Amino acid sequence: MSKNSQHGQWSSRLAFVLAATGSAVGLGNIWKFPYITGENGGGAFVLVYLTCILAIGIPIMMAEVMLGRRGRQSPVNTMRDLAKEAGSSPLWSWLGWVGVVAGFLILSYYSVIAGWAMAYVVRVASGVFEGATADGVSNIFGQFIADPEKLLAWHSLFIIVTMLVVARGVKGLERTVKFLMPALLVILVLLVGYSMDQGAFQQGVSFLFEPDFSKIDSDGVLTAMGHAFFTLSLGMGAIMVYGAYLPSNVSIGSTVIIISIADTAVALLAGLVIFPIVFANGLEPGSGPGLIFQTLPIAFGHMAYGSLFGTLFFVLLVFAAWSSSISLIEPAVAWLVENKSMSRMRACIWAGLVTWLVGIGTVLSFNIGADIKFFDKTFFDILDYLTANIMLPLGGLCIALFAGWVMKKEVSANELSLKHAWVYAVWRLLIRFVSPIAVIIVFLNVVGLI
Ligand code: PHE
C-alpha cells in the first residue's frame, strides 16, 4: 500500500522537521513547562519528565508518524484503514475521534493563553513595565485577566490568524514555519545570555536539575508524563496528520530524534531563562499559569533594553504558539475536507467557530467565572487536566498498543525502515511493553490502585 495524501506533501525532510518541531515547540515549552515545573518543585519533576520523553515520547512519536504516513489521511480515516489492513476492528477509528476532540479542547484554551502573549507584545513594547515593581506588574496582569472583553478580543484574533494559515493547506503551514523556527531559537539563546549575566543563574540551574523526590507526588508524576505527550504534540493525531504528508523516503527514526531534542532543548532553555530571573527578583516559582506574565516583565522592566528583549520574548511566544495551534486543528480540518467534501476554507471557518466558542469558557474562568469550580478546578483547569493528563496519555497508549500489537511486524518494520535491526528491536520492545506499561502504572498510581 503506497498512497499519496490528497492534502499534499511536505516539500522535503527539512520542511517536515520544521513543521513538526513547530508543532511540538509552543506554549507547552515556554509557558507551561516553567509553571508546572515551578508548581511541582523543580528537579524531580524535570527528571520524570525527561524520562517520559525518552521511554514513552520518542517511541510513541515514531509510531504516530509511521501510522500517519502509512494511512496518508486524517487520523480518523487513517486508523480505520490501518485497522482494516491489519484485520482488526474498525472501532480503532475512535482513536482518531478522541484526538479530534482533544485538539479542539486544547486549542480552545491554547488560543486564550496565546492571546495573553499577543497582548503582552503590545504592553511590553509600550514601555509600561519600565521600572515597574513586582506589585505593579502583578496588578497589570490582574487587571488584564479580569477583563473578559480584552481576553476575548485577543482570543478571537489568535483564532483568526491560526485559521488563515490552516486554510492555505500544507504549503501555508510549511512557508510559515520555515522562518518561525530558526528565529525562535536565536531569540531564546539571546535571552539565556541575559539570564546568565543578570539572573541568579546558579540557583535557577539547581532548581531545574537537582532532584528532590520529596517534592513530587503521584499527581505530579502524572502531570510530568502528560506534559511529555503535550509538549511533543502526541496522542491526538497532530503528529499523525503531519506524518501523512511526509514523503515515503524520509527516515522516521532520525527525524523523530531531531524533533524531540529540539523540543526538549527549547523547554530547558526556557527554564534557564525564566528561573534565574524568578530567583534574582525574589519571585515565587509556583505561582501558576500567570508565572511568565507576572515575573518576566519585572526583569524586563529593570534591565537595559528591557522593553526590546521583552518584546522579542513575547513575539517568540506568539510565533511558537501559532505554529503549534495549526497542528491542533489540522486533524479536524483534514477530516472535514475528506468526509464532508468541504473546501479547506469552509472547514477552517467551522472548526474556528467551534474552538472560539469553547474558548469563551476559558476566558471567563479567569474572571467572572473564576469561582465556578468542579472538584476545586476552574473550567480552564478542567480542560487542561482532561486533555494533557488524561486524553493525550490514553491516546498515546492506544497508539502504542496499535503499533506494537495490532499492526503486523513486517508492516511496521518496513514502514520505519530503521538502518539497524537492533534499533527496531529496541523500538518494538519500548512500544509493546515499556511505554504502555509505564502509562498504565502512572494512571493506576494516581487513582490509588498501586
Ligand atoms: N506541543 C504543543 C506545545 O508544547 C502543544 C500541542 C499539543 C500541539 C498537542 C499539538 C498537539 O505547546
Side-chain angles (χ1 to χ4, degrees):
M1 187 170 86
S2 169
K3 294 203 273 189
N4 283 320
S5 159
Q6 75 177 83
H7 310 282
Q9 262 197 21
W10 304 112
S11 61
S12 63
R13 171 175 188 241
L14 179 67
F16 171 75
V17 170
L18 288 172
T21 310
S23 164
V25 176
L27 293 175
N29 307 60
I30 295 165
W31 159 74
K32 193 172 180 192
F33 173 73
Y35 93 72
I36 56 178
T37 299
E39 283 178 338
N40 289 284
F45 178 86
V46 174
L47 195 65
V48 176
Y49 155 76
L50 291 175
T51 312
C52 290
I53 294 278
L54 270 180
I56 306 178
I58 292 180
I60 292 187
M61 190 188 254
M62 287 172 67
E64 220 183 300
V65 176
M66 170 187 83
L67 298 183
R69 185 166 74 181
R70 183 131 191 114
R72 291 249 184 258
Q73 297 163 81
S74 64
V76 174
N77 293 338
T78 284
M79 289 312 299
R80 188 200 54 216
D81 285 8
L82 293 183
K84 195 161 152 209
E85 182 191 39
S88 183
S89 155
L91 282 178
W92 280 102
S93 63
W94 270 96
L95 181 52
W97 278 115
V98 174
V100 167
V101 174
F104 270 111
L105 295 180
I106 295 175
L107 183 57
S108 77
Y109 72 79
Y110 204 84
S111 155
V112 175
I113 311 292
W116 296 4
M118 284 175 138
Y120 266 63
V121 171
V122 182
R123 276 189 178 53
V124 178
S126 76
V128 284
F129 295 115
E130 274 163 28
T133 59
D135 280 351
V137 169
S138 153
N139 277 344
I140 292 179
F141 180 73
Q143 272 169 16
F144 173 59
I145 62 165
D147 185 341
E149 281 162 31
K150 276 205 188 103
L151 299 197
L152 188 63
W154 288 109
H155 162 59
S156 314
L157 181 63
F158 189 80
I159 291 280
I160 293 172
V161 175
T162 299
M163 292 308 163
L164 281 179
V165 178
V166 181
R168 292 168 65 196
V170 169
K171 287 283 168 267
L173 308 182
E174 186 173 322
R175 245 175 273 141
T176 315
V177 289
K178 243 185 183 150
F179 80 91
L180 286 185
M181 284 299 108
L184 200 142
L185 210 63
V186 172
I187 301 176
L188 205 53
V189 169
L190 276 177
L191 285 173
V192 175
Y194 168 79
S195 273
M196 284 176 124
D197 197 37
Q198 303 286 319
F201 199 67
Q202 204 47 51
Q203 212 182 335
V205 171
S206 322
F207 182 77
L208 274 175
F209 298 114
E210 279 172 21
D212 172 355
F213 283 95
S214 67
K215 292 205 179 128
I216 187 170
D217 57 6
S218 60
D219 215 42
V221 172
L222 175 65
T223 304
M225 179 182 79
H227 189 64
F229 284 97
F230 186 89
T231 192
L232 291 177
S233 306
L234 298 178
M236 51 72 61
I239 288 295
M240 196 184 288
V241 83
Y242 275 15
Y245 312 149
L246 183 65
S248 335
N249 55 358
V250 171
S251 137
I252 292 179
S254 54
T255 312
V256 163
I257 302 279
I258 295 173
I259 298 164
S260 313
I261 290 177
D263 183 75
T264 310
V266 172
L268 296 178
L269 284 175
L272 287 176
V273 173
I274 286 159
F275 288 109
I277 300 179
V278 166
F279 293 121
N281 292 278
L283 305 167
E284 176 49 57
S287 63
L291 180 69
I292 61 168
F293 298 94
Q294 279 169 303
T295 56
L296 292 180
I298 303 175
F300 294 136
H302 289 276
M303 66 202 233
Y305 306 109
S307 294
L308 178 69
F309 271 117
T311 310
L312 283 178
F313 180 86
F314 284 108
V315 167
L316 168 152
L317 193 58
V318 172
F319 277 8
W322 196 19
S323 61
S324 301
S325 59
I326 50 192
S327 71
L328 278 163
I329 206 65
E330 180 65 16
V333 169
W335 181 83
L336 286 172
V337 172
E338 284 163 15
N339 289 50
K340 300 282 157 213
S341 45
M342 277 192 198
S343 66
R344 275 191 86 87
M345 186 51 113
R346 267 181 78 93
C348 283
I349 293 174
W350 280 109
L353 212 63
V354 174
T355 3
W356 180 79
L357 274 175
V358 182
I360 294 175
T362 292
V363 163
L364 298 181
S365 76
F366 289 103
N367 36 67
I368 341 181
D371 293 327
I372 306 176
K373 290 187 178 175
F374 299 97
F375 297 105
D376 208 30
K377 288 186 184 328
T378 64
F379 186 76
F380 160 73
D381 296 333
I382 292 174
L383 277 192
D384 175 44
Y385 196 90
L386 181 72
T387 51
N389 292 11
I390 299 174
M391 293 176 90
L392 300 186
L394 265 185
L397 173 65
C398 293
I399 288 168
L401 294 177
F402 188 89
W405 296 93
V406 177
M407 191 173 225
K408 297 209 170 58
K409 193 174 172 189
E410 312 80 71
V411 177
S412 62
N414 180 15
E415 197 65 50
L416 286 174
S417 301
L418 296 165
K419 272 200 203 91
H420 307 282
W422 68 267
V423 180
Y424 178 76
V426 170
W427 173 78
R428 203 163 150 81
L429 183 77
L430 290 169
I431 207 76
R432 280 164 75 92
F433 301 101
V434 179
S435 324
I437 292 174
V439 173
I440 291 170
I441 289 179
V442 174
F443 276 146
L444 292 180
N445 193 16
V446 164
V447 294
L449 285 176
I450 50 172

